[in-house]
Amino acid sequence: MQENGTEVTAAGIARLAGVGRAAVSNWRRRHADFPKPVGGTETSPSFALAEVEAWLRTQGKLAEVPLRERVWQQLAGHPEGPVTALVHVGCALLLIHDRPTVWLEIGAGSDARLAELLPAPLDQVLTPRFGVIRKRAVDTPTAAQLLPSAPLLRGAADLAAELGTRKTYEFLLGRHLDANPRQYTLTPTGLAALMADLAGPAPAVLDPACGTGALLRAVAAAQDTKAIKDQHLYGQDSAPEMAALTALRLALHTRAAVRTAAADTLRHDAYESLRADAVLCHPPFNERNWGHDELAYDPRWEYGFPARTESELAWVQHALARLKEGGIAVLLMPPAAASRRSGRRIRADLLRRGALRAVIALPPGAAPPYNLPLHLWVLRRPAVTAHPAQPEMLLADTGVFTADSRGGLDWQSVRTAVLDAWRPFDRTGTVPQQPGLSRSVPVIELLDDDVDLAPARHLPPPAAGGGAEQLASVRERLGETLRLTGDLTPPAADPRRPSRWPLTTIGELARGGALQLRTGGNGGHARVPVLTDHDVLAGTAPSGTLPESDEEPVLTEPGDVVVPVLGGGSIARVVDDATAGAALGRNLALLRPDPAALDPWFLAGFLRGTANNRQASSYASTATRLDVRRLQLPRLPLDQQRTYGERFRALAEFEEALRLAGRLGDQLVRGMYDGLTDGTVTPD
């Protein structure tokens, strides 16, 4: 595989060697023979991958660059940019997927021969999948365009032989999205699956703001077992590269007919004659330049002309206009769209005519922007002959499922609660009330001056603190915990001269085999709990999720020591039996000590020293990053380590008791306030 032209950044070198970026900076300063930059800028230089690989191997820091890492570095360093590279790779993988023998034949030769022969078979695959050339989003690359990509395509083919074409493309696309988080607004997998479940089986599905194709991919995944014949998936996005990547991604996931278009949906709708069975959409929020001036007389505004500040209601009406009678639309909406006065007339008409069937409030953190409890709107296009009004609509609020820490949501609980309310409501038009969670509300109650559809304003609250019995239980547990903290309070310190020990570093211990150092962030395929940095900081159980990937996750074991690397603070957590088996999340380092050389509690205790953390930290303008390899540890015999370890373990138990007392105290105080104010608790 030809790789001499591939460049890699400092972040890429850190990924290759499994270290932090600070370590790469140290290598550049301390080693005169470190490869010189060949590109980039003074503040963000790039290096030749072949030279870096050779240097790392010479220094004993690398045995072999993994194939997937090599392919990723080739894609990231492509002369035409990573998006063009992803399109070329997707085309080649689709050819390998559909006609593997053709790839073997044209790949047996030079890069020039590969580039010359590839366009014709690509066109034979792309045309039946995506339609004629002038209407599809994926153009067949020319030989001249493919020549710089030839080494990358060979590497991707080798990786596909290991992982399969679908997993290879998901790995590369996922890496690109992770590397450019500010360029793309992503729809999380759990949310996409929920929206697909709400839409149900549908032969023709449209996403008019398809982005990376997450919603259409969720539809394809949910309906693989539905045996829908002749399914069609339609997507449109204003960014041509997004339309192309979505088409290739879907083609590798499903045999459904895939059609994507690159154009501004509201101004230049590519599917004016389409009447889909379902529309799923995560539209852009708060757009003022959505076409208000040009589209004043557009026939899509059946329910009223949206104000300039109501771009989301323009998307709602576009979705309804592209549905067949009885078709269903599911849109992700900002919470303000349910209550802004400028949209009340359109909301009222949606209710009167029976088009808006449900508004579902999601917990904060469900999707970007993560600080807002976004809403799902479920709509159905009324039949022309139907009665103009529906007597009730569904309001639901799943905010109760917000995680205790910021590690992630319990999507399974959210999905169960939403579908358990929506499915019977969809069948019968009503559903039993669940205080604090869901209620079917008569439409007439909502048609006031504000037409405020925020679910929390219309749902009866749950019993305060779980009810009087629950509050009594909390009070009893708090008393027991406070007594325990008294028993665990550390004894008075014995003043003495400061101890001075010979020191070593975590990096030296790792090189000597006294411990293993691993970093987290890969999801794998097994669905296991994920230990996040917020779980470690808060002392809570694993609560996070990671996107599925083909890289195996790092699973914790009893006695491991886990350290957050971002945000500052002196924190280290020893993994116990209850936490063991969880996957290691992002921004965490795992230290696995050799029991014959290191006591885990001794290790964790000394890593928490404030001065130790300060000397091992680097500072950016908005964040602090810990270089775990620079953390120091005294050189002590194992029996002395265990003496310190027992003291550190006792401190950890005291700390956990204080945390629990704080949580129980907060719960009791909030429950009493709620009970006194809603009448379920009396002041006597």
Side-chain angles (χ1 to χ4, degrees):
M1 182 163 47
Q2 300 178 18
E3 62 201 35
N4 294 333
T6 302
E7 298 178 11
V8 60
T9 63
I13 297 173
R15 189 188 290 272
L16 287 171
V19 298
R21 290 189 61 175
V24 177
S25 299
N26 287 336
W27 293 343
R28 292 186 64 196
R29 288 195 303 267
R30 294 167 53 189
H31 297 276
D33 61 340
F34 191 87
K36 303 300 181 186
V38 297
T41 64
E42 184 176 345
T43 57
S44 182
S46 59
F47 308 82
L49 175 60
E51 294 179 10
V52 169
E53 182 182 350
W55 186 86
L56 290 172
R57 192 174 291 112
T58 300
Q59 295 291 322
K61 304 180 186 298
L62 183 69
E64 182 62 45
V65 177
L67 177 59
R68 68 178 65 200
E69 201 62 47
R70 187 191 302 265
V71 174
W72 162 247
Q73 295 299 343
Q74 287 182 310
L75 187 145
H78 193 280
E80 298 300 322
V83 173
T84 297
L86 277 168
V87 172
H88 291 179
V89 167
C91 291
L93 291 174
L94 190 57
L95 175 64
I96 295 170
H97 182 273
D98 287 1
R99 302 183 181 183
T101 57
V102 174
W103 169 263
L104 292 175
E105 180 182 343
I106 64 175
S110 66
D111 287 351
R113 178 179 182 272
L114 173 65
E116 185 67 30
L117 296 179
L118 194 52
L122 282 183
D123 194 54
Q124 294 171 5
V125 170
L126 297 177
T127 298
R129 282 300 194 104
F130 304 135
V132 296
I133 187 71
R134 61 187 178 82
K135 290 186 177 181
R136 70 183 189 227
V138 185
D139 295 334
T140 304
T142 65
Q145 291 170 332
L146 287 169
L147 184 57
S149 300
L152 168 63
L153 301 185
R154 294 185 189 278
D158 292 340
L159 189 57
E162 293 182 8
L163 305 178
T165 54
R166 179 186 305 178
K167 293 179 181 178
T168 297
Y169 199 62
E170 286 297 315
F171 163 70
L172 295 173
L173 178 60
R175 273 282 183 90
H176 173 67
L177 298 177
D178 286 344
N180 301 276
R182 295 184 180 180
Q183 294 184 24
Y184 306 103
T185 300
L186 304 181
T187 307
T189 303
L191 175 57
L194 173 60
M195 293 174 70
D197 286 336
L198 286 168
V205 184
L206 168 68
D207 183 349
C210 63
T212 60
L215 292 175
L216 292 175
R217 182 192 173 206
V219 169
Q223 298 179 3
D224 276 347
T225 59
K226 306 294 185 184
I228 296 178
K229 295 182 179 179
D230 301 323
Q231 187 178 48
H232 288 71
L233 303 177
Y234 300 91
Q236 183 169 346
D237 199 275
S238 59
E241 65 273 14
M242 288 293 94
L245 294 180
T246 292
L248 292 165
R249 188 182 195 189
L250 293 173
L252 287 166
H253 275 83
T254 177
R255 298 303 303 181
V258 175
R259 298 290 183 267
T260 61
D264 183 315
T265 296
L266 295 181
R267 289 185 174 91
H268 305 287
D269 182 14
Y271 304 108
E272 287 189 52
S273 61
L274 176 66
R275 295 298 176 266
D277 299 278
V279 174
L280 277 72
C281 187
H282 178 174
F285 296 162
N286 302 319
E287 278 199 335
R288 288 181 176 268
N289 185 27
W290 57 268
H292 178 271
D293 296 336
E294 306 99 300
L295 302 173
Y297 301 102
D298 195 287
R300 287 172 291 183
W301 315 141
E302 296 181 50
Y303 302 88
F305 180 41
R308 189 183 302 276
T309 57
E310 293 287 354
S311 62
E312 296 86 7
L313 294 182
W315 286 96
V316 164
Q317 295 190 77
H318 173 81
L320 285 167
R322 294 296 157 262
L323 285 173
K324 63 193 293 186
E325 288 186 4
I328 192 168
V330 184
L331 283 85
L332 185 67
M333 301 284 282
S339 56
R340 280 190 298 240
R341 288 190 61 81
S342 55
R344 66 189 186 279
R345 291 183 180 178
I346 294 177
R347 293 195 299 271
D349 208 32
L350 289 169
L351 290 175
R352 290 190 191 98
R353 297 171 61 181
L356 182 55
R357 305 301 298 125
V359 174
I360 300 163
L362 298 169
Y370 289 106
N371 60 318
L372 294 178
L374 300 178
H375 290 177
L376 289 176
W377 285 25
V378 185
L379 304 106
R380 193 179 295 279
R381 182 165 183 81
V384 175
T385 58
H387 191 276
Q390 296 287 340
E392 296 184 354
M393 74 167 291
L394 176 67
L395 295 175
D397 189 345
T398 60
V400 67
F401 299 107
T402 302
D404 289 337
S405 68
R406 292 173 290 168
L409 295 178
D410 182 358
W411 275 112
Q412 185 56 48
S413 296
V414 173
R415 176 183 179 276
T416 299
V418 170
L419 296 181
D420 284 353
W422 165 251
R423 285 173 174 164
F425 175 81
D426 190 37
R427 288 193 303 268
T428 65
T430 189
V431 71
Q433 174 178 288
Q434 298 186 61
L437 187 59
S438 63
R439 175 191 173 203
S440 55
V441 183
V443 167
I444 193 65
E445 288 187 17
L446 302 171
L447 293 174
D448 55 16
D449 289 341
D450 295 323
V451 197
D452 190 335
L453 306 182
R457 301 187 194 280
H458 302 280
L459 296 178
E469 293 183 2
Q470 180 66 25
L471 287 177
S473 174
V474 170
R475 188 177 186 280
E476 183 178 346
R477 289 181 61 202
L478 176 60
E480 294 173 357
T481 304
L482 290 174
R483 288 190 291 272
L484 178 62
T485 58
D487 296 338
L488 293 174
T489 301
D494 182 15
R496 62 175 61 189
R497 296 179 59 188
S499 300
R500 293 287 183 264
W501 309 283
L503 299 175
T504 185
T505 66
I506 295 298
E508 291 171 349
L509 291 170
R511 286 192 292 272
L515 57 79
Q516 298 177 39
L517 176 60
R518 306 287 299 278
T519 55
N522 299 319
H525 297 290
R527 296 293 88 191
V528 296
V530 176
L531 184 68
T532 71
D533 52 346
H534 304 293
D535 297 330
V536 175
L537 293 169
T540 53
S543 65
T545 58
L546 287 172
E548 184 174 329
S549 76
D550 297 310
E551 300 182 55
E552 289 301 316
V554 177
L555 301 181
T556 57
E557 297 178 2
D560 289 345
V561 177
V562 180
V563 183
V565 298
L566 287 182
S570 306
I571 295 294
R573 175 171 172 177
V574 179
V575 174
D576 56 16
D577 290 334
T579 307
L584 193 67
R586 293 188 178 95
N587 303 321
L588 288 176
L590 180 144
L591 308 177
R592 183 164 291 160
D594 180 352
L598 284 173
D599 178 79
W601 286 100
F602 164 80
L603 172 63
F606 273 95
L607 295 188
R608 292 192 61 172
T610 301
N612 197 7
N613 275 258
R614 185 179 297 121
Q615 64 83 28
S617 296
S618 58
Y619 303 93
S621 59
T622 59
T624 303
R625 186 172 187 89
L626 182 68
D627 185 350
V628 177
R629 291 177 178 269
R630 291 171 54 188
L631 288 168
Q632 297 177 337
L633 210 63
R635 296 182 182 271
L636 295 179
L638 192 57
D639 58 340
Q640 285 187 253
Q641 292 182 31
R642 288 171 177 157
T643 301
Y644 274 96
E646 286 302 316
R647 188 66 179 269
F648 286 135
R649 185 199 293 264
L651 280 174
E653 291 176 357
F654 177 62
E655 181 181 40
E656 179 55 33
L658 289 176
R659 278 202 194 101
L660 179 58
R663 289 196 292 266
L664 290 171
D666 288 343
Q667 186 178 350
L668 181 61
V669 169
R670 173 47 52 198
M672 291 298 296
Y673 270 112
D674 289 346
L676 287 167
T677 55
D678 68 15
T680 57
V681 175
T682 64
D684 299 333

